[in-house]
Amino acid sequence: MYNARNLTYIRHPFLEWVTLDRFTDIKKIGIGRFTKVYTATWIDGKSEYYRNNDGSYKKVNLEPMMIVALKRLIGSQNMTDKYLSKA
């Protein structure tokens, strides 16, 4: 399981923003009160990030084309950056 909060090779865990164009075969598999759930193929797949001496990060792909679950928050197009910063 790819869990950005449990990365042992980065001292400062973070989430990677992945744009929708990096997914294929998107299919809705469920709907709840606040979310719609989809399955998809992530073209780039799981990656590791290594911190360089200059503070930048280098991405190293590990598993290209991995199957993932996507969640879409219902009404998320109306969220503000103030709401997102509370995560």
Side-chain angles (χ1 to χ4, degrees), residues 29 37-40 67-71:
I29 58 173
V37 182
Y38 302 82
T39 184
I67 304 296
V68 296
L70 302 175
K71 279 191 172 180

Short mmCIF file of all heavy atoms in Angstrom, two decimals, residues 29 37-40 67-71:
data_model
loop_
_atom_site.label_atom_id
_atom_site.label_comp_id
_atom_site.label_asym_id
_atom_site.label_seq_id
_atom_site.Cartn_x
_atom_site.Cartn_y
_atom_site.Cartn_z
N ILE A 29 -17.10 2.96 -8.87
CA ILE A 29 -17.41 1.69 -8.20
C ILE A 29 -18.31 1.88 -6.98
O ILE A 29 -18.78 0.91 -6.41
CB ILE A 29 -16.12 0.94 -7.78
CG1 ILE A 29 -15.25 1.78 -6.86
CG2 ILE A 29 -15.36 0.47 -9.01
CD1 ILE A 29 -14.05 1.05 -6.29
N VAL A 37 -16.52 7.05 -5.38
CA VAL A 37 -15.30 6.24 -5.38
C VAL A 37 -15.12 5.62 -6.75
O VAL A 37 -16.07 5.10 -7.35
CB VAL A 37 -15.34 5.14 -4.30
CG1 VAL A 37 -14.04 4.35 -4.28
CG2 VAL A 37 -15.63 5.75 -2.93
N TYR A 38 -13.88 5.66 -7.25
CA TYR A 38 -13.54 5.15 -8.56
C TYR A 38 -12.33 4.22 -8.45
O TYR A 38 -11.53 4.35 -7.53
CB TYR A 38 -13.17 6.30 -9.52
CG TYR A 38 -14.26 7.32 -9.70
CD1 TYR A 38 -14.44 8.34 -8.79
CD2 TYR A 38 -15.11 7.27 -10.81
CE1 TYR A 38 -15.44 9.29 -8.96
CE2 TYR A 38 -16.11 8.21 -10.99
CZ TYR A 38 -16.26 9.22 -10.06
OH TYR A 38 -17.25 10.15 -10.23
N THR A 39 -12.19 3.35 -9.42
CA THR A 39 -10.95 2.61 -9.59
C THR A 39 -10.29 3.14 -10.85
O THR A 39 -10.98 3.59 -11.77
CB THR A 39 -11.20 1.09 -9.67
OG1 THR A 39 -9.94 0.43 -9.75
CG2 THR A 39 -12.02 0.72 -10.87
N ALA A 40 -8.97 3.13 -10.89
CA ALA A 40 -8.25 3.66 -12.05
C ALA A 40 -6.85 3.06 -12.11
O ALA A 40 -6.35 2.51 -11.14
CB ALA A 40 -8.14 5.18 -11.95
N ILE A 67 -2.85 -0.05 -10.06
CA ILE A 67 -4.29 0.12 -9.87
C ILE A 67 -4.52 0.81 -8.53
O ILE A 67 -3.95 0.41 -7.51
CB ILE A 67 -5.01 -1.24 -9.88
CG1 ILE A 67 -4.72 -2.01 -11.16
CG2 ILE A 67 -6.52 -1.06 -9.67
CD1 ILE A 67 -5.21 -1.36 -12.42
N VAL A 68 -5.34 1.87 -8.54
CA VAL A 68 -5.59 2.65 -7.33
C VAL A 68 -7.08 2.93 -7.18
O VAL A 68 -7.86 2.75 -8.12
CB VAL A 68 -4.82 4.00 -7.35
CG1 VAL A 68 -3.33 3.78 -7.36
CG2 VAL A 68 -5.26 4.84 -8.55
N ALA A 69 -7.46 3.38 -6.00
CA ALA A 69 -8.81 3.87 -5.75
C ALA A 69 -8.73 5.40 -5.69
O ALA A 69 -7.81 5.95 -5.09
CB ALA A 69 -9.36 3.32 -4.45
N LEU A 70 -9.68 6.06 -6.33
CA LEU A 70 -9.78 7.51 -6.29
C LEU A 70 -11.06 7.89 -5.57
O LEU A 70 -12.09 7.25 -5.78
CB LEU A 70 -9.82 8.09 -7.70
CG LEU A 70 -8.66 7.77 -8.63
CD1 LEU A 70 -8.93 8.34 -10.02
CD2 LEU A 70 -7.37 8.33 -8.08
N LYS A 71 -11.00 8.92 -4.76
CA LYS A 71 -12.20 9.43 -4.10
C LYS A 71 -12.41 10.87 -4.55
O LYS A 71 -11.48 11.67 -4.54
CB LYS A 71 -12.06 9.40 -2.58
CG LYS A 71 -12.33 8.08 -1.96
CD LYS A 71 -12.43 8.21 -0.46
CE LYS A 71 -12.88 6.92 0.17
NZ LYS A 71 -13.00 7.04 1.62
#
